[in-house]
Amino acid sequence: MPRYLVVQAPEDGVRLITLQRPEALNALCTELLAELAAELESAERDPATLAVVLTGSRKAFAAGADIREMAERDLVGILNDPRVAHWQRIASFAKPLIAAVNGFALGGGCELVMCADIVIAGEDARFGQPEINLGIIPGAGGTQRLLRAVGKPLAMQMVLTGDPITARQAQQAGLVSELTQPELAVERALQVAASIARKAPLAVRLAKEALLKAGDTDLATGLRFERHAFTLLAGTVDRDEGIRAFQEKRPAHFLGQ
Ligand code: HXC
């Protein structure tokens, strides 16, 4: 049983993971990150899980790395930091990951949001990279993914001042896909996840991979990957079913084959 997560078994193909460390505003201590990485690996292996929603509390999605734990680490400790491997496992989750964000998403919390594919935020959410106030810089994607998500001027402003932005600013900048009333963020994220879970799993998986390629490769390589993935899907049972269902004017029943 995880100590810092509440996990709701898959319903309609969607697994809900809630960060639960309220005494520290869901600060991402090593144990919490290890639990999250393990939970996502289990979700990846589970054929009944087709999408995952990740959320925190109304006050905080996550307030960043655990500063108390950071205070105890010296340079050698940081070089051998087990959290690096946990972050890599979280960021490489292959199924769709939807974040439902309320309250603070700061530092590692904002970086965790950027590991998600889709971000639904309550209007009171705040996104920031305040590491500069601690004399450090972001260390889990907060310079690289943030710049790609919101562009250079805003990323520079956020990282160099440490000042957070509002949910509305985050949506305008492209960090958030949809805004909701705070109390509806999780429900809306579950709806979006359930809609994805009804699609053909192989197509969803390759669509995610192809879209992520756009962020880290040149256009010609990305287009080649897209063409290969498109061709691969032409040989699937689900592609035949999708086209047949359209012609027969009925909903498609995908099998993941
Ligand atoms: C450990 C934290 C914490 C954190 C909050 N707490 N953030 N503990 N690590 N990141 C704890 C507080 O110490 C406090 O515990 C309790 O949570 C409630 O927090 P308060 O500060 O009392 O709440 P509030 O006044 O509402 O302020 C909320 C806040 C503030 C603005 C979010 O807590 C804050 O600035 N937190 C730090 C945010 C931050 O700098 N994050 C970046 C971390 S560096 P007690 O026991 O005192 O009640 C980072 C690097 C990533 O993320 C690198 C990845 C590899």
Side-chain angles (χ1 to χ4, degrees), residues 198-203 233-257:
R198 287 192 291 273
K199 314 295 185 221
L202 295 172
L233 289 167
T236 62
V237 173
D238 281 348
R239 184 238 192 211
D240 294 344
E241 163 63 8
I243 291 174
R244 204 175 316 114
F246 176 80
Q247 288 170 336
E248 292 169 5
K249 301 189 188 301
R250 60 169 175 82
H253 297 292
F254 295 119
L255 300 170
Q257 292 167 11

Side-chain angles (χ1 to χ4, degrees), residues 21-29 33 59-60 62-70 81 83-84 87 104-111 128-134 136-142 164:
R21 199 183 167 216
E23 69 282 6
L25 302 183
N26 292 333
L28 305 166
C29 60
L33 283 173
K59 167 135 195 200
D66 189 306
I67 297 176
R68 267 173 236 174
E69 210 176 50
M70 282 167 65
D81 195 338
R83 293 174 304 172
V84 174
W87 275 107
F104 298 110
L106 301 178
C110 189
E111 291 169 309
Q129 298 290 162
E131 289 89 344
I132 202 87
N133 297 324
L134 302 171
I136 56 172
I137 67 167

Side-chain angles (χ1 to χ4, degrees), residues 141-256:
T143 60
Q144 302 306 298
R145 288 198 187 93
L146 187 66
L147 187 132
R148 284 166 169 78
V150 307
K152 179 179 158 187
L154 185 57
M156 285 283 181
Q157 187 170 332
M158 288 172 72
V159 172
L160 300 185
T161 68
D163 294 340
I165 59 171
T166 63
R168 196 160 294 282
Q169 284 174 298
Q171 189 196 25
Q172 281 162 358
L175 198 58
V176 162
S177 46
E178 198 174 307
L179 284 185
T180 65
Q181 290 170 22
E183 60 275 21
L184 298 181
V186 174
E187 194 182 319
R188 177 64 188 142
L190 288 169
Q191 267 176 13
V192 172
S195 159
I196 295 169
R198 287 192 291 273
K199 314 295 185 221
L202 295 172
V204 168
R205 198 181 176 118
L206 284 176
K208 169 168 172 166
E209 209 176 332
L211 285 160
L212 289 178
K213 271 273 177 289
D216 63 13
T217 193
D218 61 279
L219 183 61
T221 310
L223 288 172
R224 237 181 351 260
F225 181 88
E226 183 187 86
R227 174 54 46 188
H228 288 321
F230 184 85
T231 308
L232 207 67
L233 289 167
T236 62
V237 173
D238 281 348
R239 184 238 192 211
D240 294 344
E241 163 63 8
I243 291 174
R244 204 175 316 114
F246 176 80
Q247 288 170 336
E248 292 169 5
K249 301 189 188 301
R250 60 169 175 82
H253 297 292
F254 295 119
L255 300 170

